[in-house]
């Protein structure tokens, strides 16, 4: 990997330090505001899930009626947290991998503020009763052009950085990042135009909104998550990626399969019949890139020389979690979206469970991995507490396991009850209730995990982290040989330069 | 792999599904060909025009309150689901002995006429609403009240009709006015003596929309795969 070649070269270390300094404010802005929104989204998720079995909670308040809370929860999770975590990761990784300092930090910050203001207005709009009612496009319609504009403001810099890079090798993570950077405006723009601007058939608008849902998952969040994993695995272990060919294959498999997914939600609707089947097929075939990427990354990480890193590095641990999440996505897709199973899972909790697995169990864990890696470098402080990191990790893990078992397995059972026409509808409805209780419990775990994470990150943002040359590791005492390599000496270099 | 092949590769990978799964079906569905009644099968002629009765402006309240999070509006063909056989969901099962026709049918593309967006829905926490107006009509007739009144009461206090429902009460869509001037007041106790609970305009338009959710008008056999195969 290019930036790993001369790890001990002081000139090289200075370049890295300069890049990190140039990006401190934009990256920290995206990560902290993202974490803040994540906490809001998790609380809304908890409330929404609670209302699915205890409808009396906050029942008289129009702002918190069940449907509005659900819409707010999903949209804040996507645009408030996931997008912003991805943006932060993209700008940092792009700068590091193209070895260029960020020259437009102010512009990125402006874009970030516009984005956050738009999200805030959007959230209030939903709760006030101005939502469009479309699951992943729930903000009032005037919000989306602002989001797109803000995206262009921040993404232009990263694209330019890539175009003017020094000729030479392009690393795997960069393919994924460039693909995500191109995919986002393409997916976001065309979906919103088709749904809100053009005068189409209402059913096709619904189909496009579901395609958007799938495409954003597979062509934006997935590539960014994978880019983080491909960056961290060799960086932390100091070993090259297991197979370059496999990486290439996984990339193109994802890019070819991803854009077809999504419309399986409309199985049985009177739209051209192949669309839902193509969507279901793509969701199943996602197993191929998932398997390729996860095997490749895990093979890089799990090697007898790396045992110490695996046990100690928080970034690696989250990345491993994310890769397992990606594998689970692949296998669950295989089990739950075949045409036999789809009739049960189409309108059950399963779809929601799959989304949470994709956004939290896969993408967010990868994003946490990169955040635990980036933040000490840009703030020049180490994480305060290994206990906080452990809580964050294990609580997230339990929650995801719960959601996978409950929403996906339970959703299947619920779907079977829905499809038993001779039994009263109440049967299917009461079956849902137990699973809804479990989901609420899981959101409770996630809320706790992210409260810890948010506090930890805010302390780091306030530059109250440890002043130390030793990275915070989760596995015990500090070792002489830091698993992060000589980069732990950043502060010394900074001091020497000052 | 240089940048040029990379970009061309991406353009093809993204472009093909964009054209074939998005743009072309979208264009095709935008200009649906009108369906004609068949003289032999339908015993009438002419072009079918869907006639929805109700207030479609209420759809925006259906959207904004996230009704589609828990309710669907889709009767799937039997290869995809069984709701056609569920009582009162898809229509009335026929009774040939007494000359009652089978009115159960799948959703067709004309069922969403006049709407901005087809709320297929996300999950079925609650029942499908494709034919909710028919069910409401029956329930209201049993209670001796108007269908509209039934819907209003159902929105105000869902538990009155379905004890275990998790559907949230939409009390914020109602207001209290002086009992003397109140028209169509709901039979619930207001917070003060002499006051009565009446719907706000949003409740009325939402109910208007729900009243339009019934699929029992006569459609050409060509539009109904079940009728087609039966003949």
């Amino acid at each position: 990997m290019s930036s790993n070649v001369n790890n001990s070269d002081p000139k090289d270390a200075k370049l890295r330090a300069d890049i990190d300094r140039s990006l401190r404010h934009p990256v920290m802005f995206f990560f902290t505001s993202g974490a803040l929104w994540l906490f809001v989204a998790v609380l809304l998720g908890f409330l929404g899930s609670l209302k699915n079995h205890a409808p009396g909670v906050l029942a008289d308040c129009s702002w918190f009626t069940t449907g509005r809370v659900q819409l707010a929860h999903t949209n804040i999770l996507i645009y408030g947290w996931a997008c912003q975590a991805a943006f932060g990761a993209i700008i940092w990784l792009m700068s590091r991998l193209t070895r260029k300092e960020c020259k437009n930090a102010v512009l990125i910050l402006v874009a970030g503020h516009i984005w956050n203001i738009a999200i805030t207005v959007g959230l209030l709009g939903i709760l006030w009763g101005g939502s469009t009612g479309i699951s992943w496009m729930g903000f009032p319609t005037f919000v989306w052009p602002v989001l797109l504009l803000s995206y262009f403001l921040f993404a232009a810099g990263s694209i330019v950085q890539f175009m003017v890079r020094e000729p030479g090798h392009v690393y795997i993570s960069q393919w994924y990042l460039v693909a995500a950077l191109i995919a986002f405006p393409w997916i976001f723009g065309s979906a919103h135009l088709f749904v809100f601007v053009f005068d189409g058939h209402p059913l096709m608008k619904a189909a496009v909104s579901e395609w958007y849902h799938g495409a954003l998952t597979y062509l934006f969040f997935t590539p960014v998550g994978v880019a983080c994993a491909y960056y961290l695995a060799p960086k932390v272990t100091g070993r090259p990626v297991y197979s370059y060919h496999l990486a290439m294959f996984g990339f193109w498999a994802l890019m070819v399969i991803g854009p077809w997914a999504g419309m399986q939600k409309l199985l049985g609707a009177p739209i051209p019949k192949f669309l839902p089947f193509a969507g279901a097929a793509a969701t199943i075939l996602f197993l191929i890139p998932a398997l390729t990427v996860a095997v490749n990354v895990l093979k890089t990480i799990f090697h007898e020389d790396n045992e110490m890193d695996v046990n100690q590095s928080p970034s690696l641990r989250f990345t491993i979690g994310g890769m397992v999440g990606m594998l689970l996505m692949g296998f669950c897709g295989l089990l739950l979206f075949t045409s036999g199973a789809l009739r049960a899972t189409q309108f059950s909790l399963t779809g929601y469970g799959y989304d949470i697995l994709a956004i939290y169990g896969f993408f967010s864990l990868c994003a946490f991995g990169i955040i635990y890696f980036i933040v000490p470098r840009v703030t020049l402080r180490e994480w305060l507490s290994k206990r906080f990191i452990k809580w964050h990790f294990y609580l997230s893990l339990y929650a995801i396991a719960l959601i996978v078992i409950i929403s996906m397995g339970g959703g299947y059972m619920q779907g079977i009850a829905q499809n038993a026409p001779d039994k009263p509808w109440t049967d299917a409805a009461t079956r849902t209730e137990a699973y809804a209780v479990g989901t609420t419990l899981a959101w409770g775990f996630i809320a706790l995990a992210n409260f810890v994470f948010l506090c930890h990150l805010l302390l780091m943002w306030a530059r109250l982290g440890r002043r130390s040359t030793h990275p915070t590791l989760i596995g015990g005492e500090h070792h002489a040989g830091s698993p992060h390599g000589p980069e732990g000496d950043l502060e010394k270099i900074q001091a020497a330069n000052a | 792999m240089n940048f040029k092949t990379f970009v061309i590769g991406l353009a093809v990978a993204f472009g093909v599904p964009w054209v074939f799964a998005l743009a072309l079906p979208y264009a095709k569905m935008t200009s649906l060909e009108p369906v004609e009644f068949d003289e032999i099968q339908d015993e009438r002629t002419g072009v079918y025009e869907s006639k929805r009765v109700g207030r479609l402006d209420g759809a925006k309240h259906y959207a904004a309150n996230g009704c589609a999070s828990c309710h669907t509006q889709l009767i799937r063909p039997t290869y995809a689901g069984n709701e056609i056989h569920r009582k009162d969901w898809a229509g009335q099962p026929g009774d040939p002995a007494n000359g009652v026709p089978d009115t159960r049918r799948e959703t067709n593309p004309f069922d969403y006429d006049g709407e901005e967006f087809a709320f297929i829905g996300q999950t079925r926490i609650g029942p499908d609403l494709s034919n909710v107006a028919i069910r409401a009509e029956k329930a209201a007739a049993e209670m001796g009240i108007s269908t509209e009144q039934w819907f209003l009461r159902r929105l105000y206090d869902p538990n009155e009709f379905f004890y275990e429902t998790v559907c949230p009460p939409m009390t914020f869509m109602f207001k209290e006015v002086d009992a003397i001037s109140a028209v169509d007041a709901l039979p619930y106790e207001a917070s003060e003596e002499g006051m009565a609970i009446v719907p706000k305009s949003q409740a009325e338009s939402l109910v208007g929309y729900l009243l339009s959710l019934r699929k029992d008008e006569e459609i050409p056999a060509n539009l109904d795969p079940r009728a087609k195969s039966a003949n």
Side-chain angles (χ1 to χ4, degrees):
Chain A
M1 188 167 82
S2 51
S3 61
N4 216 3
V5 180
N6 299 315
N7 227 346
S8 50
D9 180 0
K11 231 170 101 188
D12 217 59
K14 181 177 177 310
L15 175 67
R16 282 200 300 270
D18 286 344
I19 292 174
D20 288 344
R21 197 176 40 226
S22 73
L23 277 169
R24 184 165 102 212
H25 294 296
V27 164
M28 285 309 285
F29 180 81
F30 276 129
F31 287 163
T32 32
S33 51
L36 210 58
W37 282 122
L38 175 60
F39 190 59
V40 174
V42 168
L43 289 183
L44 287 167
F46 181 79
L47 182 61
S49 183
L50 186 66
K51 278 165 161 283
N52 272 347
H53 53 89
V57 183
L58 291 175
D60 286 336
C61 179
S62 68
W63 283 59
F64 292 105
T65 195
T66 313
R68 294 189 197 175
V69 169
Q70 281 292 351
L71 284 167
H73 156 63
T74 324
N75 285 279
I76 292 298
L77 185 67
I78 301 304
Y79 300 104
W81 155 247
C83 280
Q84 294 209 75
F87 295 165
I90 288 174
I91 50 178
W92 189 85
L93 285 173
M94 212 46 157
S95 287
R96 273 293 195 100
L97 289 168
T98 52
R99 307 169 65 68
K100 290 258 179 285
E101 266 177 69
C102 171
K103 297 257 169 33
N104 51 352
V106 177
L107 188 66
I108 296 177
L109 273 174
V110 170
H113 280 88
I114 297 177
W115 184 277
N116 276 283
I117 292 168
I119 302 281
T120 314
V121 172
L123 172 65
L124 294 177
I126 291 178
L127 294 179
W128 171 75
S131 171
T132 60
I134 305 167
S135 65
W136 280 29
M137 303 167 141
F139 291 136
T141 38
F142 59 84
V143 171
W144 71 266
V146 184
L147 292 180
L148 196 58
L149 171 86
S150 144
Y151 173 83
F152 281 123
L153 286 182
F154 109 83
S158 288
I159 291 278
V160 169
Q161 269 180 341
F162 183 76
M163 298 307 287
V164 301
R165 75 194 184 281
E166 277 145 40
H169 182 62
V170 177
Y171 182 60
I172 312 162
S173 290
Q174 278 170 297
W175 310 340
Y176 278 106
L177 292 174
V178 174
L181 278 169
I182 296 175
F184 185 86
W186 170 67
I187 300 164
F188 189 91
S190 51
H192 283 82
L193 284 176
F194 276 129
V195 173
F196 294 127
V197 178
F198 299 150
D199 187 26
H201 192 281
L203 266 168
M204 264 326 276
K205 292 186 174 186
V208 171
S209 80
E210 292 302 335
W211 170 81
Y212 171 71
H213 186 151
L216 203 64
T217 309
Y218 297 121
L219 298 179
F220 183 68
F221 295 131
T222 302
V224 176
V226 170
C228 296
Y230 268 128
Y231 181 83
L232 288 174
K235 184 86 178 168
V236 178
T237 60
R239 285 166 39 79
V241 168
Y242 174 70
S243 161
Y244 210 73
H245 289 289
L246 210 55
M248 181 92 103
F249 173 75
F251 175 80
W252 286 110
L254 179 66
M255 292 304 141
V256 169
I257 291 167
W260 292 93
M263 294 196 191
Q264 68 272 15
K265 191 79 193 177
L266 279 92
L267 179 70
I271 55 171
K273 230 177 182 173
F274 77 98
L275 291 174
F277 287 113
T283 314
I284 293 168
L285 288 176
F286 176 69
L287 180 60
I288 296 171
L291 211 57
T292 318
V293 170
V295 165
N296 210 2
V297 171
L298 294 177
K299 275 274 195 188
T300 310
I301 294 175
F302 288 109
H303 187 271
E304 49 193 22
D305 302 344
N306 302 336
E307 227 168 290
M308 192 184 79
D309 309 333
V310 176
N311 287 332
Q312 295 191 334
S313 160
S315 298
L316 267 195
R317 194 170 289 188
F318 275 95
T319 303
I320 294 168
M323 287 297 107
V324 173
M326 194 184 189
L327 276 178
L328 269 176
M329 265 174 86
F331 285 113
C332 289
L334 180 65
L335 288 175
L336 299 170
F337 292 93
T338 53
S339 66
L342 191 55
R343 67 209 312 269
T345 56
Q346 187 178 3
F347 292 128
S348 73
L349 284 172
T350 310
Y352 178 70
Y354 188 82
D355 285 348
I356 299 303
L357 178 61
I359 297 299
Y360 198 88
F362 159 51
F363 169 76
S364 298
L365 289 190
C366 291
F368 292 139
I370 202 87
I371 288 175
Y372 279 116
F373 187 84
I374 293 175
V375 171
R377 284 166 177 72
V378 297
T379 60
L380 301 176
R381 299 285 186 279
E382 290 301 331
W383 291 99
L384 282 169
S385 157
K386 63 181 179 191
R387 198 167 294 149
F388 280 5
I389 301 177
K390 272 186 176 168
W391 284 349
H392 182 204
F393 181 73
Y394 284 111
L395 285 170
S396 295
L397 211 62
Y398 292 143
I400 295 160
L402 255 178
I403 289 199
V404 170
I405 295 166
I406 287 166
S407 290
M408 306 185 87
Y412 185 72
M413 300 307 290
Q414 177 200 4
I416 291 191
Q418 290 176 352
N419 274 328
D422 304 331
K423 303 268 166 27
W425 173 254
T426 337
D427 279 13
T430 26
R431 267 204 212 188
T432 319
E433 201 173 320
Y435 303 124
V437 174
T439 311
T440 310
L441 193 66
W443 279 117
F445 279 133
I446 295 187
L448 220 58
N450 287 292
F451 182 68
V452 173
F453 173 65
L454 176 65
C455 293
H456 208 174
L457 190 62
L458 283 173
L459 288 170
M460 292 293 281
W461 179 60
R463 307 207 76 198
L464 292 172
R466 285 192 304 116
R467 292 173 148 276
S468 165
T469 52
H470 296 290
T472 306
L473 303 171
I474 43 186
E477 319 81 59
H478 296 303
H479 289 257
S482 146
H484 287 321
E487 275 196 278
D489 297 327
L490 265 188
E491 230 184 9
K492 250 186 246 163
I493 297 155
Q494 290 276 310
N497 283 330
Chain B
M1 179 166 66
N2 63 27
F3 189 61
K4 208 171 142 194
T5 40
F6 178 83
V7 167
I8 293 173
L10 274 192
V12 173
F14 291 176
V16 171
W18 191 86
V19 170
F20 289 102
L22 224 63
L24 288 180
Y26 191 90
K28 190 183 156 209
M29 292 282 288
T30 303
S31 46
L32 278 182
E33 280 183 27
V35 182
E36 289 200 29
F37 284 102
D38 184 286
E39 206 170 341
I40 302 159
Q41 287 187 56
D42 301 317
E43 294 165 356
R44 60 181 281 195
T45 52
V47 176
Y48 165 71
E49 274 177 64
S50 122
K51 295 182 196 71
R52 261 180 101 165
V53 186
R55 288 177 59 180
L56 295 185
D57 63 325
K60 71 168 187 276
H61 299 297
Y62 186 87
N65 290 301
C67 302
S69 307
C70 301
H71 292 285
T72 57
Q73 288 184 32
L74 180 68
I75 302 297
R76 295 174 291 180
T78 41
Y79 72 81
N82 283 339
E83 48 275 15
I84 216 138
H85 302 297
R86 192 175 275 285
K87 189 169 174 265
D88 290 340
W89 272 30
Q92 203 57 47
D95 185 1
N98 295 320
V100 180
D102 185 352
T103 63
R104 294 176 298 170
R105 68 171 178 87
E106 301 156 10
T107 305
N108 72 48
F110 297 95
D111 286 339
Y112 304 95
D113 265 6
E115 288 191 61
E116 289 278 307
F117 185 90
F119 284 102
I120 296 290
Q122 292 298 315
T123 49
R124 280 186 173 148
I125 304 287
D128 187 90
L129 298 183
S130 298
N131 286 302
V132 69
I134 301 178
R135 295 199 294 272
E137 197 178 66
K138 276 190 188 171
E142 276 171 26
M143 293 171 70
I145 55 175
S146 72
T147 317
E148 197 177 355
Q149 187 76 5
W150 187 89
F151 267 129
L152 287 171
R153 284 168 67 170
R154 170 66 186 68
L155 286 180
Y156 187 87
D157 182 11
N159 295 73
E160 182 187 349
F161 304 105
F162 307 104
Y163 177 66
E164 284 193 321
T165 184
V166 294
C167 191
M170 294 289 180
T171 42
F172 58 88
M173 288 188 173
F174 296 82
K175 60 186 174 187
E176 295 192 355
V177 294
D178 215 324
I180 303 158
S181 63
V183 190
D184 284 343
L186 266 62
Y188 300 113
E189 255 181 55
S191 57
E192 286 173 57
E193 192 102 353
M195 302 292 268
I197 296 163
V198 295
K200 289 185 195 166
S201 71
Q202 49 177 331
E204 279 167 356
S205 72
L206 180 57
V207 167
Y209 174 71
L210 293 173
L211 282 168
S212 82
L213 294 177
R214 56 188 306 151
K215 319 272 182 286
D216 56 353
E217 61 172 337
E218 198 186 341
I219 59 162
N222 280 333
L223 254 182
D224 188 351
R226 295 180 77 240
K228 227 168 146 183
S229 62
N231 281 306

